Amino acid sequence: MKTPYKNIYNVLKINRLIVLAVVICALATSTFSVWMVFTTNKNAMNSAFAINTDGSIIPLKLVSQKENFMVEALAHLELFHNYFYNIDASNYEKNLEKALWLGNSSVDNLYRQKKADGVYNRLLQYSLVQKVLSIDSQITENNGSYGFTTTTIFEINRGSIIDTYELLSTGNLIMVYRNFPNNPHGLLITNYFENTLKKLNDESRKE
């Protein structure tokens, strides 16, 4: 007895369904794989890991590090401005050396310019005491880069005369490796510039 031939249209229809099912499964598998890679990468980007004393891995969330960035940045700026401007004949070399660790060549260039202008020689010659009274920094973020504006108020004691000044300075902050104790916050000041320096009278200080 001869086997009857199957309807060619039914065969093609079944084959088309099989191909369609394979394609759908492949797309679903690919989509799941891409999602898994994206999720894994996102978790890795938001996490760092440390090794505990018992050898276990401790996840550290970078989100919390970002939240602490402003605190670190403000502390870094306060440390720098204290080192750079809170100086006298006995400590200026040590303080300026510490300040240079916290900034790049823009800070070093400013230091060299002040040295060439005789700022530190006058400090020694007249036994001047330059004391920082307050430091107020504002930090802004733009597409992942951080800029700052700092208002530093300091006084210069010339013995019988004490003059008070307000300095407005600007710059940027970038993240670098921590280097304790030279750079404990892991930040570096770039594009540092002294914008304005004005003498304050007694009235402006009371305001």
Side-chain angles (χ1 to χ4, degrees):
M1 182 177 179
K2 292 184 179 181
T3 303
Y5 291 106
K6 294 182 179 180
N7 190 311
I8 188 65
Y9 295 106
N10 291 335
V11 173
L12 292 176
K13 186 176 180 180
I14 294 173
N15 288 341
R16 185 170 58 186
L17 290 175
I18 293 174
V19 171
L20 186 60
V22 171
V23 170
I24 292 173
C25 290
L27 286 174
T29 304
S30 300
T31 302
F32 179 75
S33 300
V34 171
W35 179 78
M36 284 295 295
V37 170
F38 175 78
T39 303
T40 303
N41 181 67
K42 184 178 179 180
N43 291 335
M45 290 298 291
N46 287 331
S47 302
F49 299 93
I51 305 299
N52 200 356
T53 52
D54 60 0
S56 60
I57 297 177
I58 306 173
L60 305 174
K61 290 295 181 181
L62 293 183
V63 172
S64 62
Q65 295 180 12
K66 292 177 182 178
E67 291 174 352
N68 293 333
F69 175 83
M70 290 300 177
V71 176
E72 296 262 16
L74 291 173
H76 185 84
L77 291 171
E78 183 169 355
L79 189 64
F80 167 76
H81 286 84
N82 265 314
Y83 281 147
F84 204 72
Y85 298 103
N86 201 68
I87 55 177
D88 56 41
S90 65
N91 69 7
Y92 83 96
E93 289 183 330
K94 179 178 66 176
N95 278 10
L96 291 174
E97 181 181 355
K98 292 179 179 179
L100 292 176
W101 277 96
L102 307 178
N104 72 345
S105 59
S106 62
V107 174
D108 184 63
N109 291 338
L110 178 60
Y111 159 71
R112 292 178 184 275
Q113 183 62 50
K114 288 178 177 288
K115 187 175 182 180
D117 292 341
V119 172
Y120 306 119
N121 284 337
R122 289 193 293 274
L123 195 74
L124 293 172
Q125 184 178 355
Y126 301 106
S127 298
L128 304 178
V129 177
Q130 185 170 295
K131 180 181 179 181
V132 172
L133 302 178
S134 67
I135 300 169
D136 180 31
S137 297
Q138 303 295 326
I139 300 173
T140 57
E141 181 183 2
N142 184 18
N143 295 327
S145 63
Y146 296 90
F148 68 86
T149 300
T150 300
T151 302
T152 305
I153 297 178
F154 62 91
E155 64 181 20
I156 298 180
N157 189 327
R158 296 180 171 89
S160 59
I161 302 175
I162 299 179
D163 293 322
T164 305
Y165 297 88
E166 180 186 85
L167 171 69
L168 183 68
S169 56
T170 58
N172 298 99
L173 287 170
I174 60 174
M175 288 181 280
V176 296
Y177 287 109
R178 296 178 191 268
N179 185 346
F180 188 84
N182 297 318
N183 191 333
H185 300 289
L187 296 169
L188 196 69
I189 294 172
T190 64
N191 302 317
Y192 186 68
F193 186 73
E194 293 181 343
N195 290 267
T196 60
L197 176 66
K198 67 179 180 179
K199 186 176 180 180
L200 302 178
N201 54 30
D202 291 337
E203 284 187 18
S204 63
R205 289 187 65 186
K206 290 178 183 177
E207 292 174 359

mmCIF file of all heavy atoms in Angstrom, residues 106 110 168-171 190-196:
data_model
loop_
_atom_site.group_PDB
_atom_site.id
_atom_site.type_symbol
_atom_site.label_atom_id
_atom_site.label_comp_id
_atom_site.label_asym_id
_atom_site.label_seq_id
_atom_site.Cartn_x
_atom_site.Cartn_y
_atom_site.Cartn_z
ATOM 1 N N SER A 106 48.848 74.190 38.937
ATOM 2 C CA SER A 106 48.273 75.538 39.071
ATOM 3 C C SER A 106 48.549 76.112 40.456
ATOM 4 O O SER A 106 48.804 77.314 40.604
ATOM 5 C CB SER A 106 46.770 75.504 38.787
ATOM 6 O OG SER A 106 46.088 74.685 39.715
ATOM 7 N N LEU A 110 51.234 79.267 41.346
ATOM 8 C CA LEU A 110 50.853 80.397 42.189
ATOM 9 C C LEU A 110 51.859 80.576 43.324
ATOM 10 O O LEU A 110 52.247 81.706 43.656
ATOM 11 C CB LEU A 110 49.453 80.182 42.753
ATOM 12 C CG LEU A 110 48.922 81.267 43.692
ATOM 13 C CD1 LEU A 110 48.851 82.619 42.979
ATOM 14 C CD2 LEU A 110 47.547 80.880 44.237
ATOM 15 N N LEU A 168 38.685 85.690 47.186
ATOM 16 C CA LEU A 168 37.783 84.814 46.432
ATOM 17 C C LEU A 168 38.617 84.007 45.449
ATOM 18 O O LEU A 168 39.288 84.563 44.581
ATOM 19 C CB LEU A 168 36.732 85.638 45.679
ATOM 20 C CG LEU A 168 35.675 84.837 44.906
ATOM 21 C CD1 LEU A 168 34.769 84.084 45.871
ATOM 22 C CD2 LEU A 168 34.850 85.755 44.020
ATOM 23 N N SER A 169 38.576 82.691 45.583
ATOM 24 C CA SER A 169 39.366 81.813 44.718
ATOM 25 C C SER A 169 38.474 80.754 44.089
ATOM 26 O O SER A 169 37.437 80.384 44.643
ATOM 27 C CB SER A 169 40.497 81.143 45.503
ATOM 28 O OG SER A 169 39.985 80.439 46.610
ATOM 29 N N THR A 170 38.877 80.274 42.923
ATOM 30 C CA THR A 170 38.104 79.260 42.199
ATOM 31 C C THR A 170 39.023 78.158 41.698
ATOM 32 O O THR A 170 40.245 78.306 41.653
ATOM 33 C CB THR A 170 37.356 79.869 40.995
ATOM 34 O OG1 THR A 170 38.313 80.485 40.127
ATOM 35 C CG2 THR A 170 36.337 80.903 41.444
ATOM 36 N N GLY A 171 38.405 77.067 41.288
ATOM 37 C CA GLY A 171 39.176 75.948 40.742
ATOM 38 C C GLY A 171 38.283 74.749 40.511
ATOM 39 O O GLY A 171 37.054 74.833 40.588
ATOM 40 N N THR A 190 42.667 71.595 40.794
ATOM 41 C CA THR A 190 43.215 71.974 39.490
ATOM 42 C C THR A 190 42.666 73.351 39.104
ATOM 43 O O THR A 190 41.664 73.807 39.645
ATOM 44 C CB THR A 190 42.847 70.943 38.408
ATOM 45 O OG1 THR A 190 41.418 70.941 38.233
ATOM 46 C CG2 THR A 190 43.305 69.543 38.800
ATOM 47 N N ASN A 191 43.338 73.979 38.161
ATOM 48 C CA ASN A 191 42.905 75.292 37.641
ATOM 49 C C ASN A 191 42.678 76.308 38.762
ATOM 50 O O ASN A 191 41.749 77.113 38.711
ATOM 51 C CB ASN A 191 41.613 75.154 36.813
ATOM 52 C CG ASN A 191 41.775 74.188 35.660
ATOM 53 O OD1 ASN A 191 42.784 74.193 34.967
ATOM 54 N ND2 ASN A 191 40.779 73.348 35.444
ATOM 55 N N TYR A 192 43.539 76.252 39.775
ATOM 56 C CA TYR A 192 43.349 77.139 40.922
ATOM 57 C C TYR A 192 43.717 78.568 40.545
ATOM 58 O O TYR A 192 44.733 78.816 39.903
ATOM 59 C CB TYR A 192 44.198 76.680 42.098
ATOM 60 C CG TYR A 192 43.925 77.478 43.358
ATOM 61 C CD1 TYR A 192 42.703 77.362 44.006
ATOM 62 C CD2 TYR A 192 44.879 78.343 43.881
ATOM 63 C CE1 TYR A 192 42.431 78.094 45.145
ATOM 64 C CE2 TYR A 192 44.612 79.078 45.020
ATOM 65 C CZ TYR A 192 43.388 78.944 45.654
ATOM 66 O OH TYR A 192 43.114 79.690 46.782
ATOM 67 N N PHE A 193 42.847 79.497 40.970
ATOM 68 C CA PHE A 193 43.054 80.899 40.604
ATOM 69 C C PHE A 193 42.529 81.807 41.705
ATOM 70 O O PHE A 193 41.418 81.607 42.213
ATOM 71 C CB PHE A 193 42.334 81.206 39.287
ATOM 72 C CG PHE A 193 42.593 82.586 38.756
ATOM 73 C CD1 PHE A 193 43.815 82.917 38.188
ATOM 74 C CD2 PHE A 193 41.605 83.561 38.830
ATOM 75 C CE1 PHE A 193 44.063 84.188 37.707
ATOM 76 C CE2 PHE A 193 41.831 84.838 38.336
ATOM 77 C CZ PHE A 193 43.065 85.155 37.775
ATOM 78 N N GLU A 194 43.322 82.801 42.082
ATOM 79 C CA GLU A 194 42.889 83.820 43.032
ATOM 80 C C GLU A 194 42.188 84.925 42.245
ATOM 81 O O GLU A 194 42.837 85.694 41.539
ATOM 82 C CB GLU A 194 44.068 84.374 43.820
ATOM 83 C CG GLU A 194 44.705 83.361 44.770
ATOM 84 C CD GLU A 194 45.855 83.965 45.552
ATOM 85 O OE1 GLU A 194 46.357 85.042 45.136
ATOM 86 O OE2 GLU A 194 46.262 83.375 46.562
ATOM 87 N N ASN A 195 40.880 85.016 42.375
ATOM 88 C CA ASN A 195 40.105 85.957 41.567
ATOM 89 C C ASN A 195 40.173 87.383 42.094
ATOM 90 O O ASN A 195 40.538 88.303 41.367
ATOM 91 C CB ASN A 195 38.643 85.501 41.497
ATOM 92 C CG ASN A 195 38.485 84.250 40.665
ATOM 93 O OD1 ASN A 195 38.233 84.312 39.474
ATOM 94 N ND2 ASN A 195 38.643 83.088 41.288
ATOM 95 N N THR A 196 39.781 87.564 43.334
ATOM 96 C CA THR A 196 39.771 88.908 43.907
ATOM 97 C C THR A 196 40.298 88.880 45.332
ATOM 98 O O THR A 196 40.110 87.904 46.071
ATOM 99 C CB THR A 196 38.341 89.504 43.928
ATOM 100 O OG1 THR A 196 37.493 88.660 44.714
ATOM 101 C CG2 THR A 196 37.783 89.635 42.519
#
